[in-house]
Amino acid sequence: MATAAGTDPKIERYLARVRAALRGLPEREIEDILRELHSHTIELAEQEGGTVESALQSLGDPVDLAGTYRSENQMARAECSSSPLVILQGLRHASRSSRGRVTATALYAFGYINVLMLWSAAIEKLLAPLRVGLWYVPGQIWSLALVTSGDAPEGARELLGWWLVPIAALVGWAVRSVTDRTARWWIGRYRRSRTSQGA
Amino acid sequence: MATGSRGDPSSPSPMDKWEVQLRKGCLELAILACLWPGKLYGLEILRRLESDSDLVLSAGTVHPLLSRLKAEGLLTSEWVEAEAGHPRKYYQLTSRGRRRAVDMAEMWSRFSTNLKNLLTPLLKEVR
């Protein structure tokens, strides 16, 4: 953080608390936020009738302020990202209740579990073709037997053969796309509907 | 957000709450509109909002919002050394931000005109 000479220890303490509560954001962003808050506080305090205390008061509680920065930044980044980690971070803020946040995160994870299963099936088919396949057993339901430990089910017929590889890869890609889009839509919907904290 | 609250500030009336919600709803548009003529830094934005639109906001509200608008690609920022002795972070609309500001302004204008049509008879009666 850039600090001007003669910085008030109260400002330093305030910014240290903001920094601690911002942990997890990229260091460059944290530095930028702290530098801006520092500049803002100094300018307000140096104005006629201004004090460090009143300047810091206008920023509010440091932990609340950091929380607002975190949620605003992480949701905004998640909305235009295709990284599952960034989207997951955005989902952590995208509901008023903890139950809503847990449900959204669990559904997102469920989508990705399916993606991983489909892509694993595509790779496994290449490595051990007899262990994976879309098997049809007359009189039974259709099933995608993934990483089976032995032979195919008795009397079963494999339907796709090598076609399983591109099909599983494509379906996995489609599921991932739908999962990401749904999560981003959810985050954007929540962000637009909520009112800014502390406003 | 200061809303010129009436009565006991610890228990805002339904009208106060409604006014706060109304002002919050147009906050993003107000900030984008502030930056339409050119770049400004945080404190200037706060003052412009207060002087031109009667939106009295806390710095703790506006700074995270500016950060989010930047993360969305609607604003860019740059640090400029000021004569005051400390650098200032100036914000500017991107082309995407300008398009968003125009879209929001048009939507707001349509909404406001339509609502005015609905409210005119009511306001005439009150007068």
Side-chain angles (χ1 to χ4, degrees), chain A residues 32 35-36 39-40 42-44 46-47 58-59 65 68-69 72-73 76 80 191 195-199, chain B residues 1 21 24 27 41 43 46-47 58-61 63-64 67-68 70-72 79 81 86-89 91:
Chain A
D32 205 47
R35 195 177 176 201
E36 184 175 32
S39 167
H40 175 88
I42 292 284
E43 181 150 356
L44 267 185
E46 284 176 356
Q47 284 178 351
S58 76
L59 292 172
L65 178 63
T68 310
Y69 266 113
E72 291 285 359
N73 279 24
C80 42
R191 193 176 57 69
T195 50
S196 300
Q197 286 179 24
Chain B
M1 180 191 304
Q21 297 299 320
K24 284 173 182 171
L27 199 49
Y41 66 97
L43 199 54
L46 277 166
R47 286 178 181 150
S58 71
T61 298
H63 283 299
S67 175
R68 193 252 289 169
K70 188 184 160 193
E72 275 188 78
W79 283 96
E81 287 298 329
H86 52 266
R88 288 167 175 160
K89 189 179 181 183
Y91 291 92

Side-chain angles (χ1 to χ4, degrees), chain A residues 5 21 28 30 41 52-53 81 89 98 100-101 136 148 154 159-160 173 176 180-181:
Chain A
R28 199 172 151 195
I30 295 177
T41 311
V52 169
E53 287 79 5
S81 173
Q89 282 181 330
S98 57
R101 288 190 288 272
Y136 174 62
T148 56
E154 199 175 336
L159 298 176
L160 294 176
W173 177 83
R176 183 191 172 184
D180 283 348
R181 279 167 192 266

Side-chain angles (χ1 to χ4, degrees), chain B residues 3-123:
Chain B
T3 60
S5 59
R6 295 166 286 274
D8 180 7
S10 62
S11 56
S13 70
M15 279 306 294
D16 284 336
K17 285 182 188 168
W18 182 74
E19 189 179 351
V20 169
Q21 297 299 320
L22 192 62
R23 284 166 180 261
K24 284 173 182 171
C26 65
L27 199 49
E28 187 175 321
L29 170 60
I31 288 179
L32 295 178
C34 261
L35 291 165
W36 184 263
K39 62 183 182 184
L40 296 173
Y41 66 97
L43 199 54
E44 282 182 318
I45 293 170
L46 277 166
R47 286 178 181 150
R48 178 72 63 83
L49 288 170
E50 189 175 346
S51 63
D52 291 4
S53 62
D54 203 24
L55 278 169
V56 184
L57 303 167
S58 71
T61 298
V62 169
H63 283 299
L65 190 51
L66 288 168
S67 175
R68 193 252 289 169
L69 294 173
K70 188 184 160 193
E72 275 188 78
L74 303 178
L75 305 180
T76 54
S77 68
E78 61 172 337
W79 283 96
V80 176
E81 287 298 329
E83 288 175 9
H86 52 266
R88 288 167 175 160
K89 189 179 181 183
Y90 279 84
Y91 291 92
Q92 195 165 16
L93 289 172
T94 60
S95 52
R96 194 172 154 211
R98 293 185 86 81
R99 279 200 302 276
R100 173 79 68 87
V102 169
D103 288 346
M104 289 179 84
E106 285 175 348
M107 197 174 287
W108 176 270
S109 181
R110 270 202 306 276
F111 175 76
S112 162
T113 305
N114 293 338
L115 201 61
K116 195 174 173 187
N117 294 337
L118 199 65
L119 298 181
T120 302
L122 181 154
L123 292 171

Side-chain angles (χ1 to χ4, degrees), chain A:
Chain A
M1 167 179 49
T3 54
T7 293
D8 192 292
K10 291 190 198 83
I11 301 177
E12 289 299 308
R13 277 200 297 275
Y14 183 93
L15 295 181
R17 290 187 66 195
V18 175
R19 175 190 280 280
L22 283 175
R23 201 177 300 138
L25 285 186
E27 189 59 26
R28 199 172 151 195
E29 270 180 46
I30 295 177
E31 291 296 336
D32 205 47
I33 289 168
L34 296 178
R35 195 177 176 201
E36 184 175 32
L37 294 177
H38 180 264
S39 167
H40 175 88
T41 311
I42 292 284
E43 181 150 356
L44 267 185
E46 284 176 356
Q47 284 178 351
E48 197 178 331
T51 63
V52 169
E53 287 79 5
S54 63
L56 292 176
Q57 205 170 12
S58 76
L59 292 172
D61 180 79
V63 177
D64 288 346
L65 178 63
T68 310
Y69 266 113
R70 283 176 73 93
S71 59
E72 291 285 359
N73 279 24
Q74 289 183 332
M75 285 196 288
R77 281 195 295 144
E79 273 185 84
C80 42
S81 173
S82 56
S83 158
L85 285 179
V86 174
I87 293 174
L88 260 180
Q89 282 181 330
L91 280 174
R92 285 172 52 203
H93 303 285
S95 176
R96 291 185 204 285
S97 68
S98 57
R99 183 186 292 181
R101 288 190 288 272
V102 169
T103 305
T105 305
L107 287 173
Y108 186 70
F110 177 71
Y112 260 84
I113 288 169
N114 282 294
V115 173
L116 292 176
M117 282 176 60
L118 286 159
W119 285 351
S120 300
I123 294 168
E124 185 76 9
K125 183 71 180 173
L126 292 171
L127 300 174
L130 297 178
R131 287 160 58 110
V132 178
L134 185 67
W135 308 102
Y136 174 62
V137 183
Q140 292 187 19
I141 57 167
W142 292 60
S143 65
L144 180 69
L146 176 66
V147 198
T148 56
S149 56
D151 299 330
E154 199 175 336
R157 185 161 52 94
E158 192 186 354
L159 298 176
L160 294 176
W162 290 107
W163 279 105
L164 181 75
V165 176
I167 288 174
L170 276 174
V171 174
W173 177 83
V175 173
R176 183 191 172 184
S177 178
V178 168
T179 305
D180 283 348
R181 279 167 192 266
T182 307
R184 285 197 293 263
W185 168 80
W186 175 263
I187 293 167
R189 180 176 165 271
Y190 171 73
R191 193 176 57 69
R192 283 187 290 276
S193 73
R194 85 172 185 164
T195 50
S196 300
Q197 286 179 24

